[in-house]
Amino acid sequence: MNDETLNVQLQPKQYKSAVKPVWCPGCGDFGVLGSITKALAGLKVQPENAAIISGIGCSSRMPTYLSTYGFHGVHGRALALATGLKTARPDLTVIATGGDGDGFSIGGNHFLHTCRRNPDMTYIVMDNQVYGMTKGQASPTTEPNWQRGKLTPAGTGINPFQPLAIALASGANFIARCSSSDSNGTARILMQAIRHPGFSMVQVLSPCVTFRPEQREWKNMLIAAPVAMQATSDPAEAARLLLTDEGIYTGILYVGERPVYQPKLESSIDDIAEFEEEFRI
Ligand SMILES: Cc1ncc(C[n+]2csc(CCOP(=O)(O)OP(=O)(O)O)c2C)c(N)n1
Ligand code: SF4
């Protein structure tokens, strides 16, 4: 971190780029963009010391709208990219962003293993229970009886993926759920997620007003999780909470203490030609 830029207090809007979001009016992702800028400002992370990494989807456009470093990658590969970056540049604040399709479908395998590996980064999934960008197909978190999808007119009939329970079982070190309709509350949780060592998984319920207009009602259905001032660090207690909450508890649901993945950076490769030879087919 550059000493000259340490602790300079920027306003949240200074974390926004000059690019105007192309999201549909009313999309929940606007609220999440605001929360990320507030969290970075609150933590006094300078834009040049942060990197936002994403895959593909409406929500994955996030890096474009921020003045930090960023990488809008390929579908489902945000966590692989982000892990590589954090490993090479542990000094950076690395945040991966994306949607439920990107993260739990095509990127599902990376999700499991990033939780397991536990690099010190934050993953923000804007969950709208649908593939927004490709016009409204069912995603892993879609309810089994959602019948408006053109590919699944009778519903998927499949149990939804439970991102937070799976994150817990796979080893994520901080687990929270929030809502895009509560921009300040989400910003506060993101600050804690970013500060906490290890892999922080934050599911933000973020309505797709175009393909799931009924999600506008989410803001009236969310309830604060029944945890005391302090989130539990007991995985069994967290599992009980996550598996019985019907998907609407918000707040910090688990805080763990697993060791962070940060391999040593010294290279043992002295001769690159010799290394290439080893991999020649
Ligand atoms: C390899 C690959 N497969 C499929 C696609 C098409 N595709 C683009 S975005 C997307 C799903 C996006 O849904 P989600 O991640 O939930 O994000 P949202 O748009 O809802 O924010 C898909 C299937 C692609 N870009 N690349
Ligand atoms: S299609 Fe849905 S997720 Fe995509 S920008 Fe529009 S409201 Fe947001």
Side-chain angles (χ1 to χ4, degrees), residues 22-29 58-59 128 130 132-133 206-211:
V22 294
W23 292 317
C24 309
C27 175
D29 297 352
C58 299
S59 42
N128 53 19
V130 75
M133 179 173 264
S206 179
C208 172
V209 293
T210 298
F211 297 106

Side-chain angles (χ1 to χ4, degrees), residues 1 5 8-17 37 40-41 44-52 66-70 92-93:
M1 202 179 275
T5 56
V8 176
Q9 181 69 68
L10 299 175
Q11 294 304 309
K13 63 176 185 231
Q14 292 176 279
Y15 290 86
K16 285 193 182 160
S17 74
T37 64
L40 291 173
K44 296 187 185 175
V45 177
Q46 302 307 301
E48 66 273 25
N49 294 327
I52 316 294
L66 290 158
S67 64
T68 61
Y69 284 107
L92 293 179
T93 296

Side-chain angles (χ1 to χ4, degrees), residues 37 57 78 88 95 102-103 109 129 132 136 141 160 162 186 194 224 230 275 281:
T37 64
I95 299 173
D102 188 76
N109 193 27
Q129 302 178 350
T141 51
Q162 304 236 17
T186 299
I194 293 167
Q230 188 107 19
F275 183 68
I281 300 171

Side-chain angles (χ1 to χ4, degrees), residues 42-77:
L43 291 170
K44 296 187 185 175
V45 177
Q46 302 307 301
E48 66 273 25
N49 294 327
I52 316 294
I53 312 294
S54 70
I56 298 289
C58 299
S59 42
S60 289
R61 292 184 189 271
M62 193 60 81
T64 318
Y65 305 139
L66 290 158
S67 64
T68 61
Y69 284 107
F71 196 97
H72 189 179
V74 288
H75 199 29
R77 301 294 176 261

Side-chain angles (χ1 to χ4, degrees), residues 30-281:
F30 282 102
V32 184
L33 172 61
S35 301
I36 294 173
T37 64
K38 287 175 198 165
L40 291 173
L43 291 170
K44 296 187 185 175
V45 177
Q46 302 307 301
E48 66 273 25
N49 294 327
I52 316 294
I53 312 294
S54 70
I56 298 289
C58 299
S59 42
S60 289
R61 292 184 189 271
M62 193 60 81
T64 318
Y65 305 139
L66 290 158
S67 64
T68 61
Y69 284 107
F71 196 97
H72 189 179
V74 288
H75 199 29
R77 301 294 176 261
L79 290 175
L81 278 161
T83 303
L85 177 62
K86 185 67 189 181
T87 304
R89 287 289 309 273
D91 55 310
L92 293 179
T93 296
V94 176
I95 299 173
T97 61
D100 38 296
D102 188 76
F104 309 141
S105 209
I106 191 167
N109 193 27
H110 292 292
F111 176 57
L112 298 182
H113 292 285
T114 310
C115 293
R116 188 171 75 87
R117 193 168 279 130
N118 200 30
D120 187 16
M121 64 166 79
T122 297
Y123 186 29
I124 303 170
V125 177
M126 284 151 268
D127 193 347
N128 53 19
Q129 302 178 350
V130 75
Y131 289 180
M133 179 173 264
T134 46
K135 299 194 185 298
Q137 299 83 13
S139 87
T141 51
T142 302
E143 316 87 287
N145 56 356
W146 183 67
Q147 297 185 345
R148 276 184 294 266
K150 286 187 185 135
L151 291 180
T152 50
T156 64
I158 307 171
N159 272 357
F161 188 84
Q162 304 236 17
L164 300 188
I166 290 166
L168 179 72
S170 309
N173 214 29
F174 178 104
I175 294 174
R177 182 185 292 119
C178 22
S179 161
S180 62
S181 60
D182 178 11
S183 181
N184 289 339
T186 299
R188 279 194 291 275
I189 286 182
L190 289 181
M191 285 171 68
Q192 294 193 54
I194 293 167
R195 262 200 223 113
H196 191 70
F199 186 68
S200 297
M201 166 68 198
V202 182
Q203 178 190 31
V204 187
L205 297 174
S206 179
C208 172
V209 293
T210 298
F211 297 106
R212 310 261 352 225
E214 71 280 12
Q215 292 176 345
R216 288 179 190 272
E217 279 309 304
W218 270 352
K219 60 177 178 295
N220 304 320
M221 295 159 63
L222 304 168
I223 46 171
V227 286
M229 296 299 283
Q230 188 107 19
T232 182
S233 57
D234 174 1
E237 197 183 322
R240 204 170 307 115
L241 190 66
L242 290 170
L243 291 170
T244 56
D245 75 348
E246 295 174 11
I248 50 171
Y249 284 155
T250 57
I252 298 172
L253 304 168
Y254 174 71
V255 177
E257 289 166 14
R258 288 185 56 224
V260 170
Y261 172 81
Q262 185 56 62
K264 288 207 171 59
L265 288 175
E266 301 101 61
S267 171
S268 59
I269 305 164
D270 296 323
D271 182 352
I272 193 75
E274 206 178 290
F275 183 68
E276 282 173 356
E277 191 53 40
E278 205 175 302
F279 282 86
R280 200 179 301 284
I281 300 171

